[in-house]
Amino acid sequence: MIIYESYNQAIPSGFVVFDSDMMVAGINHRVKEALTFVKAKNLWLEFERDYTNPSDSNAIKIIGCSKALLGGIERHFIGFVPRGIAKYISQSKFYDKVQPILSNILANDYTVENIFLGNIEIKFHIIGPVELYQTYQTATAYNELIFHLNSVNRSILQICEVGDIVSLWVKPDKSGVVVFTNKGGLMGGEGKMGYVPRHLQERIIENISKGGLYNSEIISISDESCEIKNQELTPEEVKRIGQEAMDRYYKRIADEISKSYKPKTSFTLDFLLSDDIEKKKVKKGNIVYIVTKSKEYYLSNLDNLEVEIHDSKGILLGKASYPQQTFFRSSIIRILRSVFSGYFLDVNVVSVTKNRWVSILITPTQKL
């Protein structure tokens, strides 16, 4: 038996849709109650706070209601409001201001030997007073979004598991938000898992377009469904986190170049000849010199760990700097640690390429 119904229930005067087309969560654990509800007549939904829920103190039950034959009301506990939205409603002033209305029902009552093999989906809108719409949409408490994927790619779900980090990608025309995984080396469209539900897309697109981000991970998964938790980061939080990461990076670099060091092996450094230096004047075997600044200078300019390479006459041949040129990191750090630990550097040219790159061999020797 297949049931499909689309509902266009009248919205009470003074109310508007706050969130639309949300899936009732956990319905697969209450199939009997849900099927009984959808087969009845004159259907509607109600919210009921579930204060004693052991796994979620913010849980909100969804009760499926229908008129009984003798004039009473049949009530069936069919599932929950999606966790992220339930948290927002429960912790804000909106619980006693909003209410659900049915959106659509799709049910396939396929049962074999008392085992349910079909599927059932019940969607609903959340409506509330028009004067609270803007507050509901922009309240900062609504920063943890939890949703089930729409249009699930089942083949991709087979390689995913709880705890996997996923990415949100906004389509160029802003018509939707796609969820991707790079599990198993999948990249780009290959890792497409599904879509963010429609009722959350506008909020996510707006936050990302302003420079915000999401830390997203899988919190539950099955063959046919996947639940994603997303921690919303505002542009200000992204900037703060980036600055904190940069501060940690600079501290790590400062610690590295300040520690006492005893070099054990030679190492190489490549640099590009300055434009005013004739390539033929730099040959394999030439002795050159590395010129550094004081430790205090570098500790005050950790964003530019630059060293100069001079020939035997003191002419500047070229420069190497980190982090502007990231592949110099190891060699420049070893140079500074050696010099600041009191070692002299023997430096010889080992090769000169056609495109003017010079490779030098650096051997720290006895202390100065």
Side-chain angles (χ1 to χ4, degrees):
M1 177 182 180
I2 298 176
I3 300 171
Y4 176 78
E5 292 190 54
S6 180
Y7 288 82
N8 292 302
Q9 293 181 318
I11 298 176
S13 177
F15 278 60
V16 293
V17 175
F18 283 5
D19 276 312
S20 62
D21 284 330
M22 285 181 292
M23 191 86 70
V24 174
I27 201 168
N28 290 333
H29 300 294
R30 297 163 188 85
V31 170
K32 182 178 179 180
E33 294 87 343
L35 285 174
T36 301
F37 166 66
V38 300
K39 292 175 183 179
K41 301 295 182 182
N42 300 316
L43 308 180
W44 72 92
L45 300 176
E46 294 180 358
F47 285 157
E48 181 182 302
R49 281 285 279 115
D50 188 6
Y51 295 100
T52 60
N53 189 304
S55 61
D56 184 3
S57 61
N58 298 304
I60 301 175
K61 292 180 179 180
I62 296 182
I63 308 299
C65 304
S66 62
K67 289 185 178 180
L69 292 176
L70 300 178
I73 295 176
E74 296 284 349
R75 295 171 57 84
H76 300 279
F77 169 31
I78 61 174
F80 292 92
V81 174
R83 192 180 305 179
I85 297 175
K87 177 181 177 181
Y88 173 57
I89 293 173
S90 297
Q91 293 185 359
S92 69
K93 62 183 179 181
F94 292 107
Y95 177 69
D96 60 352
K97 302 290 193 305
V98 298
Q99 61 191 64
I101 60 171
L102 275 169
S103 170
N104 60 62
I105 294 172
L106 175 61
N108 179 7
D109 184 7
Y110 179 46
T111 302
V112 177
E113 296 181 354
N114 295 320
I115 299 176
F116 179 70
L117 301 176
N119 67 290
I120 180 167
E121 295 180 356
I122 299 177
K123 294 184 178 180
F124 65 99
H125 304 319
I126 294 178
I127 63 173
V130 64
E131 65 270 16
L132 293 180
Y133 175 80
Q134 194 63 36
T135 304
Y136 182 91
Q137 294 296 326
T138 59
T140 56
Y142 196 9
N143 64 350
E144 183 178 88
L145 310 180
I146 299 177
F147 57 79
H148 284 82
L149 289 178
N150 283 352
S151 303
V152 172
N153 185 335
R154 297 181 183 180
S155 63
I156 295 297
L157 289 193
Q158 292 178 4
I159 67 170
C160 298
E161 56 189 348
V162 171
D164 284 355
I165 302 301
V166 299
S167 301
L168 305 185
W169 177 73
V170 177
K171 288 186 173 183
D173 61 0
K174 297 185 179 181
S175 62
V177 183
V178 188
V179 180
F180 287 96
T181 179
N182 61 0
K183 190 78 175 287
L186 296 174
M187 300 297 290
E190 292 181 334
K192 179 180 174 182
M193 301 171 62
Y195 291 88
V196 171
R198 191 187 313 163
H199 69 279
L200 293 176
Q201 289 182 7
E202 183 178 349
R203 179 185 179 87
I204 290 173
I205 290 171
E206 181 181 4
N207 184 48
I208 292 176
S209 67
K210 292 180 178 179
L213 291 174
Y214 289 89
N215 291 328
S216 305
E217 65 174 305
I218 297 173
I219 59 173
S220 71
I221 194 168
S222 67
D223 291 340
E224 298 182 352
S225 69
C226 182
E227 189 176 20
I228 309 292
K229 181 171 77 171
N230 308 266
Q231 185 66 39
E232 182 177 87
L233 301 177
T234 65
E236 293 74 23
E237 289 172 321
V238 172
K239 183 177 180 181
R240 174 181 57 79
I241 291 171
Q243 185 59 54
E244 290 175 353
M246 186 62 70
D247 291 343
R248 290 193 298 271
Y249 156 76
Y250 282 144
K251 184 179 185 305
R252 186 170 66 251
I253 295 297
D255 290 343
E256 281 191 73
I257 65 177
S258 297
K259 288 180 180 177
S260 178
Y261 179 58
K262 186 176 181 180
K264 297 180 180 180
T265 60
S266 301
F267 55 94
T268 60
L269 172 69
D270 295 341
F271 70 93
L272 189 63
L273 277 176
S274 297
D275 292 338
D276 58 344
I277 301 296
E278 293 184 45
K279 175 176 169 291
K280 65 181 181 180
K281 291 187 176 181
V282 182
K283 300 179 180 179
K284 180 179 179 180
N286 284 4
I287 295 174
V288 294
Y289 299 90
I290 293 177
V291 177
T292 61
K293 297 180 173 63
S294 68
K295 181 192 292 187
E296 290 71 23
Y297 172 84
Y298 288 114
L299 291 177
S300 299
N301 296 273
L302 291 168
D303 58 342
N304 185 26
L305 303 184
E306 183 179 83
V307 298
E308 296 180 350
I309 299 89
H310 293 238
D311 67 7
S312 59
K313 297 180 180 180
I315 297 173
L316 175 66
L317 300 178
K319 300 178 181 180
S321 62
Y322 175 80
Q324 287 81 357
Q325 296 161 301
T326 56
F327 50 88
F328 290 154
R329 182 189 190 283
S330 176
S331 295
I332 290 180
I333 294 296
R334 292 176 73 176
I335 288 170
L336 297 179
R337 293 184 71 183
S338 298
V339 171
F340 298 152
S341 294
Y343 285 84
F344 178 78
L345 304 179
D346 282 335
V347 188
N348 297 275
V349 175
V350 294
S351 67
V352 184
T353 67
K354 292 181 179 180
N355 55 1
R356 300 175 59 82
W357 278 95
V358 180
S359 181
I360 56 178
L361 179 67
I362 303 165
T363 304
T365 60
Q366 74 279 359
K367 288 195 174 186
L368 300 174

